[in-house]
Amino acid sequence: MKIIIHGGFFSESSTHLETKIAKQEALKKIASSGFEYLKTHTALETVVFTVSLLEDNPLFNAGIGSQIQSDGKIRMSASLMDGETQKMSGVINIEEVKNPIQVAEKLLSYDDKILGGEGAIQFARENGFNIFSTEIPQRKEEYLAKKQSKGLGTVGCVALDGNGKLAVATSTGGKGFEIPGRISDSATVAGNYANSHCAVSCTGVGEDIVSGAVAAKIVCRVSDGQTIQQAFHKTFNELLPFDGFAGAIGIDQLGNICHQNSHPTMVFASFDGDIYEIFN
Ligand code: ASP
């Protein structure tokens, strides 16, 4: 059993040591809770549980900590993928929901698996999801100062369960101050992808992640026989010509964990019950 989580790129942490430490501590606790949960649940259940914990923590740019867009609204995106069935579900630009990843989980059993905007909000309402204002004062101040906080802090989790099954989930509040209607990578196969060989979650500039098809390429390369390290390196090398800004975490079916980022400020933690690692 293995678990790895990320809390995105922490621009605030580079300037505020306290924020950085708080985020690292939070990741450490959440990675441990996720691993405890994994002992008695599937990889798929675990990634939803763990990403929900990250969405509930205002330190991260997802769920209640989400960034505000240029029109003053919060719109979130989240998706998950079951490596065994290769089914993916997600929500794009959903509003007023505390845990977008749980709406994505609900959609997994529907024929229509990825919903956007009004349709996603309507679906969440009809299914009794917790509707409330996700806005936190820190984000409001950033918005009022009309500055793009660049707090790239999407969250993600990859898990390998005791039966050798992989799953991945990713959730984001977006880039911050974007044009309403902009689509994040987090609910696309570029930002979140899994099969029975490998599972990968990304963070960074969504446009670059989509251009580099990052998660899908890494998983495809591992499926075709590359080691997870080779697949990460090759895919990140392909971001260089356009200075793609991305980070990714992944696990292969043998339990090898990998992580890489193009600009070294991404924070993430992995835990396998024995060895705990925190990066950045
Ligand atoms: N990838 C996210 C987006 O572009 C942002 C992030 O990872 O922080 O919406």
Side-chain angles (χ1 to χ4, degrees):
M1 285 184 294
K2 292 278 164 70
I3 191 164
I4 182 164
I5 62 174
H6 70 75
F9 283 91
F10 295 155
S11 61
E12 293 153 41
S13 348
S14 11
T15 43
H16 299 114
L17 187 61
E18 274 174 31
T19 310
K20 178 173 168 175
I21 293 169
K23 286 179 175 179
Q24 287 181 333
E25 280 307 310
L27 283 177
K28 191 173 169 179
K29 277 202 195 102
I30 292 172
S32 305
S33 306
F35 187 80
E36 255 331 283
Y37 195 83
L38 184 58
K39 288 180 181 167
T40 50
H41 294 83
T42 65
L44 188 66
E45 289 163 343
T46 302
V47 294
V48 173
F49 170 81
T50 310
V51 165
S52 297
L53 293 180
L54 290 160
E55 287 176 337
D56 288 345
N57 190 322
L59 284 172
F60 301 106
N61 172 25
I64 66 167
S66 293
Q67 311 261 13
I68 296 174
Q69 301 196 339
S70 59
D71 63 349
K73 284 193 170 182
I74 286 174
R75 297 181 185 85
M76 300 159 285
S77 299
S79 71
L80 59 94
M81 189 155 180
D82 180 356
E84 191 192 4
T85 61
Q86 279 194 256
K87 286 190 173 149
M88 176 161 172
S89 60
V91 286
I92 295 176
N93 289 334
I94 195 166
E95 295 171 40
E96 300 169 3
V97 168
K98 184 168 154 286
N99 294 105
I101 198 65
Q102 294 175 12
V103 186
E105 181 187 33
K106 181 87 186 167
L107 280 163
L108 203 58
S109 57
Y110 284 70
D111 287 339
D112 300 333
K113 290 189 167 45
I114 302 185
L115 297 183
E118 275 307 317
I121 300 166
Q122 189 59 30
F123 177 86
R125 287 206 178 107
E126 281 167 13
N127 284 280
F129 282 94
N130 209 345
I131 305 286
F132 83 119
S133 167
T134 44
E135 217 168 85
I136 59 167
Q138 169 200 342
R139 303 293 184 223
K140 188 80 180 170
E141 275 164 33
E142 285 163 359
Y143 174 73
L144 291 174
K146 289 266 183 276
K147 62 174 195 220
Q148 181 164 357
S149 67
K150 286 205 204 120
L152 296 168
T154 292
V155 301
C157 175
V158 178
L160 173 71
D161 65 26
N163 292 319
K165 313 280 188 227
L166 287 161
V168 58
T170 307
S171 182
T172 190
K175 284 196 301 189
F177 226 72
E178 57 267 73
I179 300 172
R182 180 245 179 198
I183 306 278
S184 159
D185 63 292
S186 301
T188 73
V189 298
N192 185 86
Y193 199 67
N195 65 13
S196 58
H197 299 278
C198 185
V200 173
S201 168
C202 296
T203 179
V205 175
E207 286 71 6
D208 295 351
I209 295 167
V210 168
S211 297
V214 178
K217 265 196 208 164
I218 293 172
V219 170
C220 183
R221 288 182 163 137
V222 173
S223 309
D224 286 348
Q226 289 190 13
T227 66
I228 191 168
Q229 282 81 9
Q230 287 168 338
F232 265 73
H233 287 150
K234 175 123 181 77
T235 305
F236 274 83
N237 277 341
E238 289 171 354
L239 295 174
L240 294 176
F242 57 95
D243 191 28
F245 191 109
I249 55 170
I251 306 181
D252 70 15
Q253 68 187 139
L254 302 174
N256 296 307
I257 287 188
C258 204
H259 54 85
Q260 193 164 338
N261 57 111
S262 59
H263 297 67
T265 53
M266 177 178 163
V267 175
F268 38 109
S270 71
F271 192 67
D272 65 6
D274 221 7
I275 298 166
Y276 165 77
E277 277 191 281
I278 186 134
F279 307 93
N280 177 13

